[in-house]
């Protein structure tokens, strides 16, 4: 059975296949359907590109350069495994026909290395560090599609959606955080049609797996300290420090998070307020919940005041500590959603609001397009008008602050967002439309 992630089956003629796919591409972008010999993974990608209103003449946009790019690279976890990438793929990159490139999880190129002549050719299509190669930005391409489908893939010649890059072939594989299993980037080799072979795909897959193993080796070893995970989950997960994992019920999740947030302890009265608010709840109810929690966790929970006998690490604290260290990229990578999102306990609501406010303030102040895009694409940021406005401003070079304000200039500004100019970056169009939708929904355009 043919591997669907490989561009060519054994015995296929690359020149004939490139011509046939090019004709299919032209038919599709001029309003036709998609037929043979276009692979399913490519056909689905082309449909996503059309759905995102991408132009087949699109080019990648460079949105990070100089010191900002260097800072972003240094803060990215893949910086630590670049020597491994060079060791495994360096000979391929130095042979005069290929490039080694590494991307972050948003499709932004972090590093590109190879023969100077090949690098110069690649520069003509903006295949340079700081450029964005996400599939929804420039269409079907190796790293962008690998990130979109979370699988290693080859993209061959005219399978690329943009005509500007149809003279290239690439093989790319996503790289995951070994702890959270989230995509943090991709590794890619790019060259001519000879790359459409099983060997190139196997090579990038093996390199990505080696990088994940190296990242796991670099991660701090368990020290016996319990770790509580509450971000993006209604039921907390407690790693007990001895290799055990315990899923807690919702009330016990709230109790443990609140006790972890108050290492000096809480009186029964104060804990009841943090948990129940103004509701009239019999103190016996709280004592019963704590008794059941102690039966699960043993001596970890003490009383008078209620407290934890051992400091508990939490993923909530990991985000806070990254923000305190000025590492916004690390904070965003660690933020898997609001803590205990369905909880209505006042103490949990306050922790949730404070963490989100700190994260958003840094995000809006930094105005990095990739970071803003990752926020508004997440469920917790999709209705964040201020973040969408900041993204639109960052993409258009507009001023800081909300894009649209009341006063004499409001109608003109609203018009600018309602009618994006032709030739716009697809993300800029998306941001403009979303700003308009949210302002209408919030009644701010009246």
């Amino acid at each position: 059975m043919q591997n669907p992630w490989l561009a060519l089956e054994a015995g296929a003629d690359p020149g004939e296949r490139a011509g046939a796919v090019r004709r299919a591409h032209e038919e599709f972008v001029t309003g036709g359907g998609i037929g043979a010999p276009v692979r399913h993974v490519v056909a689905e990608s082309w449909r996503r590109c059309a759905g995102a209103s991408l132009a087949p003449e699109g080019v990648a946009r460079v949105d990070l350069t100089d010191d900002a790019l260097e800072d972003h690279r240094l803060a990215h976890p893949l910086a630590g495994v670049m020597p491994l990438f060079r060791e495994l793929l360096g000979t391929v990159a130095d042979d005069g026909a290929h490039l080694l490139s590494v991307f972050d999880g948003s499709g932004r190129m972090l590093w590109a290395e190879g023969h100077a002549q090949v690098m110069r050719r690649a520069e003509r299509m903006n295949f340079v560090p700081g450029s964005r190669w996400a599939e929804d930005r420039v269409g079907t391409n190796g790293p962008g599609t690998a990130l979109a489908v979370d699988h290693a893939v080859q993209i061959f010649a005219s399978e690329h959606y943009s005509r500007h890059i149809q003279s290239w072939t690439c093989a790319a594989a996503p790289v995951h955080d070994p702890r959270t299993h989230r995509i943090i980037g991709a590794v890619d080799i790019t060259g001519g049609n000879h790359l459409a072979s099983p060997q190139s795909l196997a090579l990038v897959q093996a390199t990505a797996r080696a990088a994940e193993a190296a990242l796991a080796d670099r991660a701090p070893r368990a020290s016996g300290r319990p770790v509580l995970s509450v971000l993006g989950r209604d039921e907390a997960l407690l790693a007990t420090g001895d290799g055990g994992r315990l899923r807690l019920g919702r009330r016990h999740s709230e109790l443990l998070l609140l006790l972890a947030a108050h290492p000096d302890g809480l009186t029964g009265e104060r804990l009841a307020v943090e948990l129940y608010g103004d509701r009239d709840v019999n103190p016996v109810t709280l004592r019963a919940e704590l008794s059941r929690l102690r039966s699960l966790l043993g001596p970890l929970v003490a009383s008078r005041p209620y407290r934890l006998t051992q400091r508990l690490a939490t993923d909530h604290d990991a985000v806070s500590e990254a923000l305190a260290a000025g590492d916004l990229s690390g904070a965003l990578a660690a933020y898997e959603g609001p803590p205990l999102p369905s909880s209505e306990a006042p103490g949990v609501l306050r922790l949730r609001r404070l963490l989100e406010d700190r994260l958003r303030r840094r995000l809006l102040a930094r105005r990095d397009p990739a970071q803003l895009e990752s926020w508004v694409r997440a469920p917790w940021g999709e209705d964040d008008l201020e973040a969408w406005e900041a993204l639109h401003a960052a993409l258009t070079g507009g001023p800081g602050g909300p894009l649209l304000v009341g006063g004499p200039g409001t109608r003109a500004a609203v018009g600018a967002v309602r009618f994006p100019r032709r030739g716009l970056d697809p993300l800029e169009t998306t941001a403009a439309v979303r700003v308009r939708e949210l302002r209408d929904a919030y009644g701010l355009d009246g």
Side-chain angles (χ1 to χ4, degrees):
M1 180 180 293
Q2 170 68 16
N3 183 341
W5 307 102
L6 286 172
L8 299 178
E9 65 275 14
D13 182 275
E16 290 182 4
R17 178 62 55 81
V21 175
R22 184 174 294 108
R23 290 188 290 275
H25 177 267
E26 290 303 313
E27 180 178 354
F28 176 70
V29 299
T30 54
I34 305 178
V38 181
R39 291 183 291 154
H40 177 73
V41 63
V42 174
E44 289 301 300
S45 176
W46 285 2
R47 293 187 181 101
R48 290 192 296 271
C49 296
S53 301
L54 297 184
E57 302 295 339
V59 295
R61 176 172 177 160
V62 179
D63 60 10
L64 208 58
T65 59
D66 302 327
D67 290 346
L69 173 61
E70 186 60 21
D71 289 345
H72 184 60
R73 288 198 284 210
L74 290 174
H76 198 276
L78 292 183
V81 292
M82 270 307 294
L84 177 65
F85 288 141
R86 294 184 180 111
E87 177 185 349
L88 297 177
L89 298 177
T91 55
V92 176
D94 291 336
D95 68 358
H98 305 93
L99 293 176
L100 156 66
S101 51
V102 177
F103 299 77
D104 67 15
S106 71
R108 175 187 281 147
M109 187 189 290
L110 300 174
W111 293 273
E113 299 181 359
H115 191 278
Q117 185 176 356
V118 185
M119 295 281 286
R120 285 193 293 270
R121 283 186 56 213
E123 288 174 1
R124 298 172 194 162
M125 61 174 182
N126 273 359
F127 198 73
V128 296
S131 58
R132 290 289 297 282
W133 286 85
E135 187 187 79
D136 62 0
R137 304 294 293 276
V138 292
T140 310
N141 70 90
T145 301
L147 291 169
V149 300
D150 193 11
H151 200 284
V153 66
Q154 286 176 342
I155 300 297
F156 166 73
S158 45
E159 290 181 334
H160 289 92
Y161 193 75
S162 171
R163 297 186 182 100
H164 290 292
I165 53 179
Q166 289 183 348
S167 62
W168 298 83
T169 292
C170 43
V175 182
H176 302 82
D177 182 317
R179 183 182 65 85
T180 66
H181 306 294
R182 287 190 167 197
I183 296 175
I184 57 173
V187 60
D188 169 85
I189 50 176
T190 293
N193 291 353
H194 55 279
L195 267 180
S197 68
Q199 291 77 18
S200 68
L201 188 64
L203 183 58
V204 294
Q205 284 180 302
T207 301
R209 300 296 83 76
E212 291 169 353
L215 289 168
D217 287 341
R218 293 164 61 93
R221 299 297 182 184
S223 61
R225 182 181 177 188
V227 178
L228 183 69
S229 298
V230 296
L231 297 181
R233 58 173 71 238
D234 291 321
E235 295 183 337
L237 189 65
L238 179 67
T240 57
D242 56 4
R245 295 166 71 86
L246 181 64
R247 184 178 297 277
L248 303 174
R250 296 195 178 195
R251 184 63 79 196
H252 288 166
S253 299
E254 294 168 336
L255 280 167
L256 201 53
L257 175 58
L258 290 170
L259 292 174
H262 297 85
D264 292 334
L266 294 167
T267 65
E269 182 179 352
R270 182 61 191 171
L271 184 55
V273 171
E274 295 285 298
L275 197 62
Y276 303 116
D278 295 332
R279 285 188 295 153
D280 186 14
V281 176
N282 193 316
V284 173
T285 302
L286 177 60
R287 289 197 294 271
E289 292 285 4
L290 286 162
S291 177
R292 284 190 286 268
L293 184 60
R294 276 197 296 266
S295 70
L296 284 173
L297 305 182
L300 180 62
V301 180
S303 58
R304 299 181 183 178
Y306 292 113
R307 65 194 186 281
L308 300 178
T309 58
Q310 184 178 1
R311 185 63 185 265
L312 192 64
T314 71
D315 52 357
H316 175 282
D317 289 341
V319 177
S320 296
E321 289 163 6
L323 289 172
D327 181 10
L328 179 57
S329 295
L332 288 169
Y335 188 75
E336 299 186 38
L340 306 181
S342 294
S343 173
E344 297 182 358
V348 175
L349 290 173
R350 183 171 59 256
L351 291 172
R352 187 187 305 157
R353 184 179 63 253
L354 290 173
L355 184 63
E356 183 176 301
D357 286 350
R358 288 183 64 199
L359 197 53
R360 287 183 71 256
R361 281 200 304 272
R362 297 290 182 86
L363 187 67
L364 295 172
R366 178 74 62 85
R367 289 185 177 268
D368 176 275
Q371 293 174 340
L372 285 163
E373 182 183 2
S374 71
W375 180 265
V376 299
R377 298 290 195 191
W380 50 85
E382 60 187 357
D383 295 330
D384 189 336
L385 172 59
E386 194 173 3
W388 278 107
E389 289 177 329
L391 175 60
H392 188 273
L395 293 170
T396 60
L403 294 179
L404 308 175
V405 297
T410 297
R411 183 52 53 196
V414 170
V417 171
R418 286 186 182 278
F419 306 106
R421 62 183 182 274
R422 294 178 64 83
L424 213 55
D425 181 323
L427 181 58
E428 189 178 328
T429 303
T430 299
V433 171
R434 189 60 178 150
V435 167
R436 182 198 64 197
E437 291 174 346
L438 289 174
R439 291 189 64 84
D440 286 345
Y442 297 152
L444 299 176
D445 285 343

